[in-house]
């Protein structure tokens, strides 16, 4: 593990806390059309679990601490609809939804705090719509 220019051979993940549901920043599926019409978004998408931190930490150490494989992907089918108002251009987007967990890392060699990070488990989708 590397932090502040120092390399750590081993780390211990502690203080795992559930942060709640988080919606991904980038959409994974989109449909558009002019109303009046009903947009239908049906797709099968693959979304990956993630881990993020400002230091190098092994996926295995984080996976054991949070209780799920942070490198695993899930493929799920989704389906959503939305009625676009007459004369408007409508957009329906799907975003991944994650269960998020924070964690802290400590060096197994000297016990010093190394940094913190977040692990996210993909669990579903969130839809947004707009009309212009």
């Amino acid at each position: 593990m590397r932090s502040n220019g120092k390399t750590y051979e081993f780390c211990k993940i502690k203080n795992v806390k559930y942060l709640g549901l988080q919606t991904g920043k980038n959409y994974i599926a989109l449909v558009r059309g002019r109303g009046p019409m009903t947009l239908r978004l049906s797709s099968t998408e693959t979304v990956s679990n993630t881990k993020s931190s400002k230091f190098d930490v092994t996926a295995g150490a984080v996976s054991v601490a949070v209780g799920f494989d942070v490198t695993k992907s899930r493929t799920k089918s989704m389906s959503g609809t939305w009625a676009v108002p007459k004369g408007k251009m409508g957009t329906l987007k799907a975003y991944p939804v994650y269960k998020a967990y924070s964690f802290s890392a400590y060096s197994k060699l000297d016990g010093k705090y190394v940094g913190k990070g977040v692990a996210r488990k993909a669990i579903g989708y969130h839809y947004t719509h707009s009309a212009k």
Side-chain angles (χ1 to χ4, degrees):
M1 177 181 328
R2 186 180 301 269
S3 177
N4 301 327
K6 190 171 182 179
T7 302
Y8 294 91
E9 295 298 320
F10 305 99
C11 72
K12 177 150 181 80
I13 305 298
K14 297 180 181 180
N15 306 324
V16 175
K17 293 181 184 153
Y18 177 63
L19 299 175
L21 298 179
Q22 294 182 350
T23 301
K25 294 181 182 180
N26 300 313
Y27 65 86
I28 57 173
L30 165 131
V31 290
R32 295 184 68 195
R34 184 162 303 280
M37 74 176 300
T38 298
L39 293 177
R40 297 185 195 289
L41 178 57
S42 295
S43 183
T44 300
E45 299 292 334
T46 300
V47 181
S48 298
N49 295 339
T50 66
K51 71 170 178 64
S52 60
S53 60
K54 293 186 178 183
F55 58 93
D56 293 335
V57 62
T58 66
V62 175
S63 295
V64 168
V66 298
F68 63 90
D69 186 344
V70 297
T71 65
K72 186 176 179 182
S73 297
R74 328 177 41 146
T75 301
K76 288 187 75 169
S77 295
M78 69 170 114
S79 181
T81 61
W82 178 61
V84 180
K86 182 179 179 179
K88 300 285 186 175
M89 177 58 78
T91 304
L92 179 61
K93 295 178 182 177
Y95 293 82
V97 174
Y98 303 92
K99 283 186 176 180
Y101 300 84
S102 65
F103 61 87
S104 300
Y106 296 83
S107 169
K108 282 187 176 179
L109 299 177
D110 60 14
K112 291 185 180 177
Y113 175 76
V114 175
K116 62 183 177 178
V118 176
R120 293 175 183 88
K121 182 178 184 180
I123 61 162
Y125 304 100
H126 171 82
Y127 293 94
T128 64
H129 60 79
S130 62
K132 294 181 184 183

